[in-house]
Every structure is written in structure tokens, then in C-alpha cells.
């Protein structure tokens, strides 16, 4: 699979993802996500390569854990994924800690994350992030989370908040 091809000093350079043997998307999607994020992280440090800014994995229910995401990410859509918190490591869990450019995030339909885990996830956004749109529909968001959202530095610029079917 060729992800990116560009000319550098007259030579063509391919960035390739490792091919993964799998049966259907159930095994392929998490592997692809991990590889894409690794490639994107290397791109973020290279001045000549394009950054990964949009990652849409809507209804990929096999996505259960967030890998290290690239700092260039602006839009993250994980609606319908099966994200789960890391258990005992919950207090140190910070999957969005390098996402300084994050502008919109959709976590709708992630029913395995409780309100406390959703709050920790949002708190892991760096202060530089300016989240403008957040969709927590059909999650276990509760009044405690809703009270905390306006207090978070990364949500100070929030203009769109969707909370349909929460509770």
C-alpha cells in the first residue's frame, strides 16, 4: 500500500505501510490505524512531508484502544468505535496529549467509556488545543462531565457540543 509519494530532490520517495494478512476489517482496521499513526508521526517531524490532519474511523467497532496519535491531527472521528479505558492505568492515560491542533472530535456511540474516562480523555488534550466541536452523543456522559467541560482549557473555544441520547 502506498500512502504518500513525492519528489524530493528529483527522486521519488514512497512511504509504505506494512501489508497485513487479515480476514476482513476486524483484524485489519486496528493494524492500519497503528501503522497510519506511526507514519504520520514521522511525517510530522519532516518539513517536506504532508501531515495527517483528519482521521475518520466512523463505525469501526474493532477500534478498542487509541494508539499514539500524531500532533498534526485536527479532526478525529471515532463514532461507533469500541474505545475502552486502560483499567488501572486510567489516571495516567493521556492519548491526546500531543494533539495541539485538535479542533473537532466525535466520540459518539462509544458506550464502553464511562463519564470519568471521557473526562480523562478530554483532559488529556493539551492547553494549546482549541476544540471547537465535540460530539458525545450516545455515550455515558453525565452531569459531572457536563459541568467539567466548560472548565477545561482545550474546550474554551467550543462552539458545537452534541449530547443526544446520553446518560
Amino acid at each position: 500500500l502506498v500512502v504518500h509519494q513525492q519528489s524530493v530532490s528529483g527522486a521519488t520517495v514512497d512511504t509504505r505501510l506494512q501489508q497485513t494478512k487479515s480476514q476482513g476489517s476486524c483484524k485489519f482496521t486496528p493494524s492500519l490505524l497503528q501503522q497510519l499513526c506511526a507514519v504520520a508521526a514521522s511525517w510530522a517531524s519532516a518539513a517536506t512531508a504532508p501531515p495527517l490532519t483528519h482521521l475518520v474511523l466512523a463505525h469501526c467497532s474493532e477500534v478498542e484502544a487509541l494508539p499514539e496519535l500524531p500532533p498534526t491531527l485536527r479532526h478525529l472521528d471515532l463514532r461507533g468505535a469500541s474505545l475502552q479505558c486502560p483499567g488501572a492505568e486510567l489516571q495516567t492515560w493521556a492519548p491526546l496529549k500531543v494533539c495541539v491542533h485538535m479542533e473537532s472530535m466525535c466520540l459518539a456511540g462509544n458506550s464502553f467509556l464511562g463519564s470519568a474516562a471521557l473526562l480523562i480523555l478530554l483532559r488529556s488534550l493539551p492547553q494549546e488545543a482549541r476544540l471547537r466541536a465535540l460530539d458525545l452523543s450516545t455515550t455515558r456522559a453525565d452531569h459531572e462531565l457536563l459541568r467539567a467541560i466548560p472548565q477545561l482549557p482545550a474546550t474554551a473555544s467550543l462552539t458545537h457540543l452534541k449530547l443526544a441520547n446520553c446518560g
Side-chain angles (χ1 to χ4, degrees):
L1 298 171
V2 176
V3 173
H4 172 69
Q5 190 175 61
Q6 72 180 49
S7 178
V8 179
S9 303
T12 300
V13 178
D14 290 345
T15 303
R16 297 182 185 271
L17 293 179
Q18 179 182 19
Q19 290 188 353
T20 305
K21 290 185 179 181
S22 65
Q23 296 179 357
S25 67
C26 187
K27 294 184 188 293
F28 181 73
T29 303
S31 175
L32 177 64
L33 175 60
Q34 209 166 31
Q35 291 179 42
L36 275 174
C37 291
V39 168
S42 68
W43 281 348
S45 62
T48 58
L52 178 66
T53 59
H54 293 67
L55 182 58
V56 178
L57 294 169
H59 304 290
C60 291
S61 60
E62 56 278 354
V63 177
E64 296 177 354
L66 284 177
E68 184 174 336
L69 298 171
T72 55
L73 204 58
R74 293 182 182 278
H75 306 279
L76 178 61
D77 186 345
L78 290 169
R79 81 184 78 205
S82 297
L83 290 181
Q84 299 176 26
C85 62
E89 301 169 11
L90 184 60
Q91 296 304 319
T92 59
W93 186 47
L96 306 174
K97 67 183 174 193
V98 298
C99 297
V100 296
H101 300 290
M102 187 68 71
E103 295 174 5
S104 70
M105 189 165 35
C106 181
L107 298 171
N110 279 277
S111 58
F112 293 123
L113 291 178
S115 191
L118 287 168
L119 181 57
I120 289 171
L121 183 73
L122 292 172
R123 280 187 178 147
S124 76
L125 281 166
Q127 290 186 354
E128 301 87 357
R130 292 292 168 243
L131 199 60
R132 289 181 175 76
L134 176 61
D135 187 349
L136 296 174
S137 298
T138 319
T139 65
R140 293 171 31 202
D142 65 9
H143 66 282
E144 295 294 327
L145 175 63
L146 300 182
R147 245 187 265 153
I149 287 175
Q151 310 303 319
L152 302 173
T155 60
S157 300
L158 201 61
T159 60
H160 295 76
L161 178 62
K162 188 172 179 184
L163 297 164
N165 299 320
C166 286

